[in-house]
Amino acid sequence: MPERKRVAVLADSDTRWKWGALTARRLVPDHQLTGYLLRGRATPTARQLGEVGVRADRLSEVTCAEFLAEIEREHYDVVVLALVGGAVQAVLHGARALWPKPAKRPVLVTGYVGVVYEKLADGLLLRHGADLVLANSRHDAERFRAVYEGVGADAGAVTETALPFLGGAPYEPAGSRAHTVVFAVQPSVPDSRADRTYLLERAAAHARLHPDREVLIKLRSKPGEHTTHLEEQPYQRLAEKVPGGLPANCRLVYGNMGEVLDGTDLLVTVSSTAALESLHRSIPTAILTDLGIREALGNHHFLGSGCLASWDQLDSGLLPEGDPVWLAAQGVLPGGAPGPGALAPGMPDPAAPRPSAGPAAGVAHDAYAVARAKVAGLVAATRLPALAPYYTLTTAPRYLPGILARHHLAPDGTPLPGAVRPAAGESRLRRRLRAHLREAARGAYRHGVQRVAPVIRRLGEL
Protein backbone atom coordinates (compact mmCIF):
# COMPACT_ATOMS: atom_id res chain seq x y z
CA MET A 1 0.00 0.00 0.00
CA PRO A 2 1.53 3.36 -1.02
CA GLU A 3 2.51 5.70 1.79
CA ARG A 4 0.18 8.65 2.35
CA LYS A 5 1.62 11.95 1.19
CA ARG A 6 2.34 14.55 3.82
CA VAL A 7 0.67 17.90 3.15
CA ALA A 8 0.94 21.14 5.11
CA VAL A 9 -1.46 24.07 4.79
CA LEU A 10 -0.50 27.52 6.10
CA ALA A 11 -3.49 29.87 6.37
CA ASP A 12 -4.00 33.32 7.86
CA SER A 13 -7.80 33.43 8.21
CA ASP A 14 -10.85 31.17 8.48
CA THR A 15 -11.83 31.42 4.82
CA ARG A 16 -8.28 30.84 3.62
CA TRP A 17 -8.01 27.80 5.88
CA LYS A 18 -11.14 26.43 4.25
CA TRP A 19 -9.75 27.09 0.76
CA GLY A 20 -6.33 25.69 1.57
CA ALA A 21 -7.53 22.49 3.25
CA LEU A 22 -10.09 21.72 0.54
CA THR A 23 -7.54 22.49 -2.17
CA ALA A 24 -5.10 20.08 -0.53
CA ARG A 25 -7.80 17.42 -0.52
CA ARG A 26 -8.32 17.89 -4.25
CA LEU A 27 -4.65 17.95 -5.18
CA VAL A 28 -3.59 15.00 -3.03
CA PRO A 29 -6.74 12.95 -2.29
CA ASP A 30 -5.05 10.50 0.10
CA HIS A 31 -2.91 12.56 2.44
CA GLN A 32 -1.98 13.33 6.01
CA LEU A 33 -2.86 16.98 6.63
CA THR A 34 -1.00 19.22 9.05
CA GLY A 35 -2.48 22.67 9.51
CA TYR A 36 -0.67 25.85 10.47
CA LEU A 37 -2.30 29.18 11.27
CA LEU A 38 -0.14 32.22 10.59
CA ARG A 39 -0.07 34.35 13.71
CA GLY A 40 -1.63 37.76 13.05
CA ARG A 41 -4.69 39.97 13.36
CA ALA A 42 -6.97 37.58 11.44
CA THR A 43 -5.93 34.31 13.12
CA PRO A 44 -9.26 32.46 13.38
CA THR A 45 -10.87 31.51 16.68
CA ALA A 46 -11.90 27.97 17.57
CA ARG A 47 -15.52 28.89 16.79
CA GLN A 48 -14.61 30.13 13.31
CA LEU A 49 -12.61 27.00 12.56
CA GLY A 50 -15.48 24.83 13.76
CA GLU A 51 -17.90 26.68 11.50
CA VAL A 52 -15.65 26.08 8.50
CA GLY A 53 -15.86 22.37 9.24
CA VAL A 54 -12.52 21.26 7.74
CA ARG A 55 -10.24 19.48 10.19
CA ALA A 56 -6.53 18.68 10.12
CA ASP A 57 -4.65 15.79 11.71
CA ARG A 58 -2.69 18.44 13.62
CA LEU A 59 -3.15 22.21 13.90
CA SER A 60 -0.84 24.82 15.41
CA GLU A 61 -0.20 28.56 15.34
CA VAL A 62 3.13 29.80 13.97
CA THR A 63 5.01 32.80 12.67
CA CYS A 64 6.45 32.82 9.16
CA ALA A 65 9.95 32.05 10.44
CA GLU A 66 8.66 29.22 12.62
CA PHE A 67 6.79 27.75 9.67
CA LEU A 68 9.95 27.77 7.56
CA ALA A 69 11.75 25.89 10.32
CA GLU A 70 8.88 23.39 10.39
CA ILE A 71 8.91 22.61 6.66
CA GLU A 72 12.68 22.22 6.73
CA ARG A 73 12.44 19.74 9.59
CA GLU A 74 9.25 17.83 8.70
CA HIS A 75 9.89 17.00 5.01
CA TYR A 76 6.40 17.63 3.61
CA ASP A 77 5.54 16.53 0.08
CA VAL A 78 3.22 19.46 -0.64
CA VAL A 79 2.75 22.84 1.03
CA VAL A 80 -0.37 24.92 0.29
CA LEU A 81 0.02 28.63 1.03
CA ALA A 82 -3.44 30.05 1.73
CA LEU A 83 -2.26 33.56 2.54
CA VAL A 84 -2.30 37.18 1.47
CA GLY A 85 0.23 37.99 -1.24
CA GLY A 86 2.91 39.51 1.00
CA ALA A 87 2.95 36.46 3.28
CA VAL A 88 3.18 34.14 0.26
CA GLN A 89 6.16 36.12 -1.02
CA ALA A 90 7.87 35.89 2.37
CA VAL A 91 7.47 32.10 2.50
CA LEU A 92 8.71 31.74 -1.09
CA HIS A 93 11.88 33.69 -0.34
CA GLY A 94 12.31 31.84 2.93
CA ALA A 95 12.01 28.52 1.09
CA ARG A 96 14.49 29.72 -1.53
CA ALA A 97 16.95 30.45 1.27
CA LEU A 98 16.43 26.92 2.62
CA TRP A 99 16.92 25.28 -0.77
CA PRO A 100 19.06 27.69 -2.89
CA LYS A 101 20.04 24.89 -5.29
CA PRO A 102 18.08 22.03 -6.89
CA ALA A 103 17.02 19.74 -4.06
CA LYS A 104 14.33 17.42 -2.76
CA ARG A 105 11.92 19.97 -1.31
CA PRO A 106 8.14 20.32 -0.94
CA VAL A 107 5.95 21.41 -3.84
CA LEU A 108 4.63 24.89 -3.07
CA VAL A 109 1.08 25.75 -4.17
CA THR A 110 -0.87 28.97 -3.79
CA GLY A 111 -3.90 30.77 -5.24
CA TYR A 112 -6.93 32.87 -4.33
CA VAL A 113 -9.85 32.07 -2.05
CA GLY A 114 -12.52 33.67 -4.26
CA VAL A 115 -13.32 36.48 -6.65
CA VAL A 116 -10.21 38.42 -7.73
CA TYR A 117 -11.41 41.96 -8.36
CA GLU A 118 -8.70 44.23 -6.93
CA LYS A 119 -4.91 44.52 -6.84
CA LEU A 120 -4.58 41.97 -9.62
CA ALA A 121 -0.99 42.72 -10.62
CA ASP A 122 0.21 43.33 -7.07
CA GLY A 123 -1.29 40.15 -5.66
CA LEU A 124 -0.18 37.97 -8.56
CA LEU A 125 3.42 39.14 -8.61
CA LEU A 126 3.62 38.51 -4.87
CA ARG A 127 2.52 34.93 -5.56
CA HIS A 128 4.94 34.40 -8.45
CA GLY A 129 7.59 31.81 -7.72
CA ALA A 130 5.31 29.08 -6.37
CA ASP A 131 5.37 25.80 -8.25
CA LEU A 132 1.63 26.16 -8.92
CA VAL A 133 -0.47 29.32 -8.87
CA LEU A 134 -4.07 28.11 -9.03
CA ALA A 135 -6.69 30.05 -10.98
CA ASN A 136 -10.33 29.42 -10.09
CA SER A 137 -11.61 29.71 -13.67
CA ARG A 138 -10.61 30.03 -17.30
CA HIS A 139 -11.21 33.76 -17.00
CA ASP A 140 -8.78 34.05 -14.09
CA ALA A 141 -6.17 31.82 -15.74
CA GLU A 142 -6.09 34.07 -18.81
CA ARG A 143 -5.73 37.20 -16.67
CA PHE A 144 -3.02 35.65 -14.50
CA ARG A 145 -0.91 34.57 -17.48
CA ALA A 146 -1.29 38.01 -19.07
CA VAL A 147 0.12 39.69 -15.94
CA TYR A 148 3.12 37.36 -15.71
CA GLU A 149 3.88 37.52 -19.40
CA GLY A 150 3.47 41.30 -19.29
CA VAL A 151 6.47 41.62 -16.97
CA GLY A 152 8.47 38.93 -18.74
CA ALA A 153 8.00 36.38 -15.94
CA ASP A 154 7.40 32.66 -16.43
CA ALA A 155 3.66 31.95 -16.48
CA GLY A 156 3.99 28.17 -16.48
CA ALA A 157 2.89 27.86 -12.85
CA VAL A 158 -0.60 29.23 -13.61
CA THR A 159 -2.99 26.29 -13.53
CA GLU A 160 -6.73 26.43 -14.14
CA THR A 161 -8.86 24.74 -11.47
CA ALA A 162 -12.09 25.78 -9.74
CA LEU A 163 -13.15 26.97 -6.31
CA PRO A 164 -12.73 23.88 -4.12
CA PHE A 165 -15.86 24.50 -2.05
CA LEU A 166 -18.39 24.56 -4.91
CA GLY A 167 -20.88 21.79 -4.27
CA GLY A 168 -24.18 20.90 -2.68
CA ALA A 169 -27.53 19.74 -3.98
CA PRO A 170 -29.15 21.59 -6.89
CA TYR A 171 -31.78 24.14 -5.97
CA GLU A 172 -35.35 23.02 -5.36
CA PRO A 173 -38.11 25.66 -4.98
CA ALA A 174 -39.46 26.24 -1.50
CA GLY A 175 -42.71 24.35 -1.96
CA SER A 176 -44.46 24.13 1.40
CA ARG A 177 -41.64 25.73 3.40
CA ALA A 178 -41.20 29.47 3.75
CA HIS A 179 -39.48 31.25 0.87
CA THR A 180 -36.04 32.13 2.25
CA VAL A 181 -33.96 35.14 1.23
CA VAL A 182 -30.33 35.21 2.42
CA PHE A 183 -28.37 38.45 2.46
CA ALA A 184 -24.69 37.40 2.53
CA VAL A 185 -22.83 40.31 4.09
CA GLN A 186 -19.14 41.12 3.76
CA PRO A 187 -16.77 42.48 6.41
CA SER A 188 -15.54 45.46 4.41
CA VAL A 189 -17.89 45.87 1.42
CA PRO A 190 -19.32 48.42 1.64
CA ASP A 191 -17.12 50.00 4.26
CA SER A 192 -19.11 53.05 5.35
CA ARG A 193 -21.55 52.94 8.25
CA ALA A 194 -24.21 54.75 6.20
CA ASP A 195 -24.06 52.28 3.29
CA ARG A 196 -24.07 49.23 5.56
CA THR A 197 -27.01 50.64 7.51
CA TYR A 198 -28.84 51.26 4.23
CA LEU A 199 -28.39 47.67 3.07
CA LEU A 200 -29.49 46.28 6.41
CA GLU A 201 -32.59 48.47 6.49
CA ARG A 202 -33.46 47.42 2.93
CA ALA A 203 -33.24 43.77 3.93
CA ALA A 204 -35.53 44.49 6.90
CA ALA A 205 -37.92 46.41 4.63
CA HIS A 206 -38.01 43.43 2.23
CA ALA A 207 -39.03 41.22 5.15
CA ARG A 208 -41.82 43.62 6.10
CA LEU A 209 -43.02 43.82 2.50
CA HIS A 210 -43.07 40.02 2.23
CA PRO A 211 -44.24 38.69 5.63
CA ASP A 212 -44.50 35.19 4.11
CA ARG A 213 -40.73 35.13 3.54
CA GLU A 214 -37.83 34.47 5.89
CA VAL A 215 -34.98 36.99 5.47
CA LEU A 216 -31.67 35.86 6.93
CA ILE A 217 -28.72 38.20 7.40
CA LYS A 218 -25.79 35.77 7.01
CA LEU A 219 -22.87 37.04 9.09
CA ARG A 220 -19.22 36.17 8.65
CA SER A 221 -17.99 36.68 12.20
CA LYS A 222 -19.01 37.71 15.69
CA PRO A 223 -17.96 41.06 17.17
CA GLY A 224 -14.35 40.75 18.31
CA GLU A 225 -13.50 38.18 15.62
CA HIS A 226 -11.74 39.05 12.40
CA THR A 227 -11.71 37.50 8.96
CA THR A 228 -9.60 38.21 5.90
CA HIS A 229 -10.85 41.80 5.80
CA LEU A 230 -11.32 44.18 8.71
CA GLU A 231 -14.90 44.82 9.78
CA GLU A 232 -15.18 48.22 11.39
CA GLN A 233 -18.99 48.30 11.31
CA PRO A 234 -20.40 44.90 12.36
CA TYR A 235 -23.99 44.33 11.25
CA GLN A 236 -24.80 42.98 14.72
CA ARG A 237 -24.32 46.43 16.20
CA LEU A 238 -26.06 48.18 13.31
CA ALA A 239 -29.07 45.88 13.75
CA GLU A 240 -29.49 47.12 17.32
CA LYS A 241 -30.19 50.60 15.94
CA VAL A 242 -32.65 49.75 13.15
CA PRO A 243 -35.78 51.88 13.79
CA GLY A 244 -38.41 49.59 15.28
CA GLY A 245 -35.95 46.70 15.31
CA LEU A 246 -35.77 43.84 12.85
CA PRO A 247 -39.16 42.31 11.96
CA ALA A 248 -39.96 38.83 13.28
CA ASN A 249 -39.21 37.23 9.90
CA CYS A 250 -35.75 38.85 9.63
CA ARG A 251 -32.88 37.62 11.77
CA LEU A 252 -29.11 37.40 11.99
CA VAL A 253 -27.56 33.97 11.44
CA TYR A 254 -24.12 32.34 11.51
CA GLY A 255 -23.08 28.97 10.17
CA ASN A 256 -21.47 27.18 7.25
CA MET A 257 -22.46 28.88 3.98
CA GLY A 258 -23.08 25.56 2.23
CA GLU A 259 -25.56 24.55 4.92
CA VAL A 260 -27.29 27.93 4.80
CA LEU A 261 -27.65 27.63 1.02
CA ASP A 262 -29.42 24.27 1.44
CA GLY A 263 -32.57 26.19 2.36
CA THR A 264 -32.06 29.36 0.30
CA ASP A 265 -34.45 30.54 -2.44
CA LEU A 266 -32.71 33.86 -3.20
CA LEU A 267 -29.12 34.82 -2.37
CA VAL A 268 -28.46 38.56 -2.17
CA THR A 269 -25.00 40.10 -1.82
CA VAL A 270 -22.83 42.97 -2.99
CA SER A 271 -19.94 40.86 -4.29
CA SER A 272 -19.37 37.90 -1.96
CA THR A 273 -17.90 34.66 -3.28
CA ALA A 274 -21.06 33.10 -1.83
CA ALA A 275 -22.72 34.25 -5.07
CA LEU A 276 -20.63 31.74 -7.03
CA GLU A 277 -21.57 28.98 -4.58
CA SER A 278 -25.22 29.93 -5.01
CA LEU A 279 -25.05 30.10 -8.81
CA HIS A 280 -23.32 26.72 -8.91
CA ARG A 281 -26.46 25.28 -7.32
CA SER A 282 -28.80 27.26 -9.64
CA ILE A 283 -30.18 29.28 -6.74
CA PRO A 284 -31.55 32.68 -7.88
CA THR A 285 -28.77 35.13 -7.07
CA ALA A 286 -28.76 38.93 -6.93
CA ILE A 287 -25.68 41.17 -7.03
CA LEU A 288 -26.82 44.48 -5.57
CA THR A 289 -26.52 47.65 -7.64
CA ASP A 290 -28.03 50.02 -5.05
CA LEU A 291 -24.62 51.53 -4.29
CA GLY A 292 -23.59 51.58 -7.94
CA ILE A 293 -21.48 49.14 -9.95
CA ARG A 294 -17.97 50.04 -8.86
CA GLU A 295 -14.54 48.48 -8.66
CA ALA A 296 -14.34 49.45 -4.98
CA LEU A 297 -17.39 47.25 -4.30
CA GLY A 298 -16.25 44.35 -6.45
CA ASN A 299 -19.66 43.96 -8.08
CA HIS A 300 -18.16 45.00 -11.42
CA HIS A 301 -16.79 41.45 -11.53
CA PHE A 302 -20.35 40.27 -12.20
CA LEU A 303 -20.88 42.34 -15.35
CA GLY A 304 -22.53 40.03 -17.88
CA SER A 305 -23.63 37.56 -15.21
CA GLY A 306 -27.34 38.41 -15.52
CA CYS A 307 -27.48 38.81 -11.74
CA LEU A 308 -27.17 42.57 -11.25
CA ALA A 309 -30.26 43.90 -9.47
CA SER A 310 -31.42 46.41 -6.88
CA TRP A 311 -33.48 45.92 -3.73
CA ASP A 312 -36.35 47.71 -5.51
CA GLN A 313 -36.36 45.05 -8.23
CA LEU A 314 -36.13 42.24 -5.67
CA ASP A 315 -39.02 43.79 -3.72
CA SER A 316 -41.04 43.60 -6.95
CA GLY A 317 -40.42 39.88 -7.27
CA LEU A 318 -37.35 39.63 -9.54
CA LEU A 319 -35.43 36.34 -9.27
CA PRO A 320 -32.22 36.76 -11.30
CA GLU A 321 -30.73 33.81 -13.17
CA GLY A 322 -27.08 33.48 -14.17
CA ASP A 323 -25.99 33.75 -17.80
CA PRO A 324 -24.66 30.31 -18.93
CA VAL A 325 -21.77 31.73 -20.98
CA TRP A 326 -20.59 33.94 -18.11
CA LEU A 327 -20.92 31.08 -15.63
CA ALA A 328 -18.85 28.75 -17.79
CA ALA A 329 -16.04 31.32 -18.02
CA GLN A 330 -16.08 31.61 -14.22
CA GLY A 331 -15.77 27.86 -13.66
CA VAL A 332 -19.31 27.58 -12.31
CA LEU A 333 -21.49 24.63 -13.34
CA PRO A 334 -25.14 25.58 -12.73
CA GLY A 335 -27.40 22.81 -11.54
CA GLY A 336 -25.42 21.82 -8.47
CA ALA A 337 -22.97 19.46 -10.13
CA PRO A 338 -20.89 18.09 -7.27
CA GLY A 339 -18.21 20.59 -6.44
CA PRO A 340 -14.48 19.92 -6.45
CA GLY A 341 -14.12 20.01 -2.70
CA ALA A 342 -17.40 18.78 -1.25
CA LEU A 343 -16.41 15.32 -0.10
CA ALA A 344 -15.52 13.73 3.18
CA PRO A 345 -12.06 12.23 3.69
CA GLY A 346 -11.88 8.67 2.45
CA MET A 347 -15.06 8.88 0.40
CA PRO A 348 -15.13 8.45 -3.39
CA ASP A 349 -15.02 11.79 -5.15
CA PRO A 350 -18.26 12.49 -7.05
CA ALA A 351 -16.81 15.71 -8.44
CA ALA A 352 -14.21 14.19 -10.70
CA PRO A 353 -16.50 13.06 -13.54
CA ARG A 354 -18.91 15.80 -14.40
CA PRO A 355 -20.47 16.82 -17.71
CA SER A 356 -19.00 19.72 -19.65
CA ALA A 357 -21.03 22.21 -21.66
CA GLY A 358 -20.41 22.76 -25.34
CA PRO A 359 -19.04 20.42 -28.02
CA ALA A 360 -17.57 18.04 -25.48
CA ALA A 361 -20.85 17.56 -23.62
CA GLY A 362 -21.03 14.17 -21.97
CA VAL A 363 -17.26 13.90 -21.60
CA ALA A 364 -16.09 13.56 -18.02
CA HIS A 365 -14.36 16.69 -16.76
CA ASP A 366 -12.29 17.12 -13.62
CA ALA A 367 -11.38 20.72 -12.83
CA TYR A 368 -8.38 19.58 -10.80
CA ALA A 369 -7.02 16.86 -13.09
CA VAL A 370 -4.25 19.01 -14.62
CA ALA A 371 -3.22 20.47 -11.26
CA ARG A 372 -3.22 17.05 -9.63
CA ALA A 373 -1.04 15.62 -12.40
CA LYS A 374 1.39 18.53 -12.09
CA VAL A 375 1.67 18.05 -8.34
CA ALA A 376 2.15 14.28 -8.66
CA GLY A 377 4.93 14.79 -11.21
CA LEU A 378 6.72 17.33 -9.03
CA VAL A 379 6.40 15.18 -5.90
CA ALA A 380 7.86 12.20 -7.77
CA ALA A 381 10.86 14.19 -9.02
CA THR A 382 14.23 13.41 -7.45
CA ARG A 383 15.05 17.10 -7.20
CA LEU A 384 13.17 20.32 -7.82
CA PRO A 385 14.78 23.56 -9.01
CA ALA A 386 15.26 26.44 -6.62
CA LEU A 387 12.24 28.73 -6.41
CA ALA A 388 12.52 31.82 -8.60
CA PRO A 389 10.09 34.58 -7.57
CA TYR A 390 9.80 37.56 -9.92
CA TYR A 391 10.51 39.97 -7.08
CA THR A 392 14.20 39.97 -6.14
CA LEU A 393 16.62 42.54 -4.77
CA THR A 394 17.30 43.39 -8.43
CA THR A 395 13.71 43.79 -9.66
CA ALA A 396 12.25 45.29 -6.45
CA PRO A 397 15.14 46.53 -4.26
CA ARG A 398 12.91 48.91 -2.30
CA TYR A 399 9.66 46.90 -2.15
CA LEU A 400 10.86 43.37 -1.34
CA PRO A 401 12.95 44.01 1.81
CA GLY A 402 9.98 45.70 3.49
CA ILE A 403 7.71 42.74 2.77
CA LEU A 404 10.26 40.28 4.16
CA ALA A 405 10.98 42.44 7.21
CA ARG A 406 7.29 42.42 8.18
CA HIS A 407 7.63 38.66 8.55
CA HIS A 408 10.97 38.91 10.38
CA LEU A 409 13.06 37.77 7.44
CA ALA A 410 16.25 39.36 6.18
CA PRO A 411 16.50 40.56 2.54
CA ASP A 412 18.01 37.19 1.58
CA GLY A 413 15.03 35.31 3.06
CA THR A 414 16.79 33.99 6.16
CA PRO A 415 15.13 34.56 9.57
CA LEU A 416 16.23 37.62 11.50
CA PRO A 417 17.92 36.99 14.87
CA GLY A 418 15.34 35.91 17.44
CA ALA A 419 12.62 35.26 14.82
CA VAL A 420 12.47 31.58 15.73
CA ARG A 421 12.01 31.07 19.45
CA PRO A 422 13.40 27.72 20.67
CA ALA A 423 10.69 25.65 22.33
CA ALA A 424 13.17 23.67 24.39
CA GLY A 425 13.67 24.94 27.92
CA GLU A 426 10.47 27.03 27.97
CA SER A 427 8.01 26.05 30.67
CA ARG A 428 4.38 25.24 29.97
CA LEU A 429 3.33 28.15 32.19
CA ARG A 430 5.44 30.56 30.17
CA ARG A 431 4.00 29.29 26.87
CA ARG A 432 0.47 29.59 28.23
CA LEU A 433 1.13 33.11 29.53
CA ARG A 434 2.52 34.17 26.15
CA ALA A 435 -0.58 32.77 24.42
CA HIS A 436 -2.87 34.73 26.77
CA LEU A 437 -0.91 37.93 26.19
CA ARG A 438 -1.13 37.40 22.44
CA GLU A 439 -4.90 36.92 22.63
CA ALA A 440 -5.24 40.02 24.81
CA ALA A 441 -3.25 42.05 22.29
CA ARG A 442 -5.51 40.79 19.49
CA GLY A 443 -8.56 41.72 21.51
CA ALA A 444 -7.22 45.24 22.05
CA TYR A 445 -6.49 45.58 18.34
CA ARG A 446 -9.97 44.39 17.36
CA HIS A 447 -11.56 46.72 19.89
CA GLY A 448 -9.58 49.59 18.41
CA VAL A 449 -10.69 48.72 14.88
CA GLN A 450 -14.37 48.27 15.68
CA ARG A 451 -14.91 50.78 18.48
CA VAL A 452 -12.22 53.45 18.67
CA ALA A 453 -11.33 53.98 14.98
CA PRO A 454 -14.93 54.70 13.83
CA VAL A 455 -15.36 57.28 16.63
CA ILE A 456 -12.12 59.03 15.75
CA ARG A 457 -13.09 59.02 12.08
CA ARG A 458 -16.47 60.56 12.84
CA LEU A 459 -14.85 63.24 15.02
CA GLY A 460 -12.49 64.05 12.18
CA GLU A 461 -15.45 64.67 9.88
CA LEU A 462 -17.01 67.29 12.18
Side-chain angles (χ1 to χ4, degrees):
M1 184 175 179
E3 185 178 352
R4 296 173 71 197
K5 301 300 182 186
R6 301 188 66 208
V7 179
V9 172
L10 176 63
D12 57 10
S13 70
D14 56 341
T15 51
R16 290 203 180 94
W17 165 251
K18 177 181 178 181
W19 177 86
L22 291 177
T23 294
R25 185 183 295 175
R26 287 294 292 166
L27 294 175
V28 188
D30 184 22
H31 65 262
Q32 178 183 342
L33 177 62
T34 301
Y36 295 93
L37 301 176
L38 185 64
R39 190 171 298 150
R41 64 162 185 81
T43 305
T45 64
R47 188 205 69 80
Q48 288 174 297
L49 290 174
E51 186 173 285
V52 167
V54 184
R55 300 187 181 278
D57 297 298
R58 181 164 63 89
L59 189 65
S60 56
E61 186 177 316
V62 294
T63 63
C64 180
E66 289 168 347
F67 178 71
L68 291 168
E70 284 282 316
I71 63 173
E72 181 184 27
R73 179 173 57 249
E74 293 293 336
H75 305 293
Y76 291 107
D77 297 292
V78 179
V79 170
V80 179
L81 302 176
L83 307 164
V84 295
V88 172
Q89 185 73 182
V91 174
L92 294 177
H93 278 273
R96 179 177 172 81
L98 291 175
W99 298 285
K101 297 179 180 179
K104 185 66 177 177
R105 60 166 178 81
V107 178
L108 271 68
V109 181
T110 191
Y112 287 88
V113 71
V115 174
V116 184
Y117 67 84
E118 61 178 353
K119 300 180 180 178
L120 177 64
D122 188 23
L124 276 173
L125 292 175
L126 289 171
R127 288 168 171 81
H128 186 270
D131 296 298
L132 272 76
V133 177
L134 303 183
N136 295 324
S137 66
R138 183 177 72 247
H139 173 70
D140 279 352
E142 292 169 354
R143 293 193 299 159
F144 292 6
R145 293 189 185 102
V147 169
Y148 288 159
E149 291 166 357
V151 298
D154 181 15
V158 176
T159 308
E160 181 184 339
T161 55
L163 285 169
F165 42 77
L166 296 183
Y171 171 63
E172 294 183 6
S176 59
R177 65 176 171 82
H179 185 98
T180 302
V181 178
V182 173
F183 174 36
V185 307
Q186 296 161 263
S188 60
V189 178
D191 58 359
S192 79
R193 182 185 184 90
D195 286 344
R196 293 169 79 82
T197 299
Y198 166 83
L199 293 179
L200 180 61
E201 290 179 347
R202 288 304 304 259
H206 185 84
R208 294 189 188 96
L209 185 64
H210 298 278
D212 57 327
R213 295 184 176 186
E214 287 284 336
V215 177
L216 308 180
I217 313 298
K218 171 62 175 70
L219 303 170
R220 282 285 310 279
S221 60
K222 292 187 175 182
E225 295 177 338
H226 271 319
T227 57
T228 304
H229 301 284
L230 293 172
E231 185 171 23
E232 290 190 5
Q233 304 289 346
Y235 279 95
Q236 296 94 321
R237 295 200 175 110
L238 298 179
E240 295 171 358
K241 300 181 180 180
V242 172
L246 297 178
N249 61 328
C250 180
R251 55 193 173 91
L252 309 179
V253 299
Y254 299 93
N256 180 280
M257 178 55 76
E259 295 174 0
V260 173
L261 288 176
D262 287 341
T264 299
D265 298 287
L266 172 63
L267 188 283
V268 182
T269 187
V270 176
S271 59
S272 170
T273 301
L276 299 180
E277 296 185 65
S278 175
L279 288 165
H280 179 78
R281 298 171 66 165
S282 291
I283 298 170
T285 303
I287 304 298
L288 291 173
T289 61
D290 293 56
L291 307 177
I293 300 171
R294 298 182 283 144
E295 283 80 357
L297 297 175
N299 54 359
H300 70 292
H301 179 84
F302 293 87
L303 289 169
S305 67
C307 297
L308 298 170
S310 69
W311 271 117
D312 281 352
Q313 292 171 300
L314 300 179
D315 288 346
S316 299
L318 177 66
L319 295 174
E321 295 184 7
D323 177 78
V325 175
W326 186 89
L327 293 175
Q330 300 298 321
V332 176
L333 297 177
L343 65 156
M347 293 185 65
D349 183 359
R354 55 187 195 184
S356 300
V363 178
H365 172 67
D366 179 359
Y368 275 78
V370 173
R372 193 160 45 247
K374 279 188 176 183
V375 168
L378 292 170
V379 168
T382 305
R383 295 187 304 171
L384 294 178
L387 298 171
Y390 170 74
Y391 283 138
T392 65
L393 294 178
T394 299
T395 59
R398 174 70 173 171
Y399 187 42
L400 179 62
I403 292 172
L404 299 182
R406 282 197 292 275
H407 294 277
H408 305 287
L409 300 181
D412 64 355
T414 57
L416 292 170
V420 180
R421 188 184 303 274
E426 187 176 50
S427 69
R428 180 180 301 179
L429 176 61
R430 190 176 182 84
R431 287 197 301 270
R432 189 169 296 175
L433 178 61
R434 183 176 288 110
H436 282 305
L437 288 173
R438 237 185 343 253
E439 193 55 41
R442 282 188 195 134
Y445 174 80
R446 291 162 180 163
H447 178 80
V449 168
Q450 295 184 338
R451 294 285 193 178
V452 181
V455 173
I456 294 175
R457 190 172 295 112
R458 286 198 296 274
L459 288 173
E461 293 171 353
L462 293 177

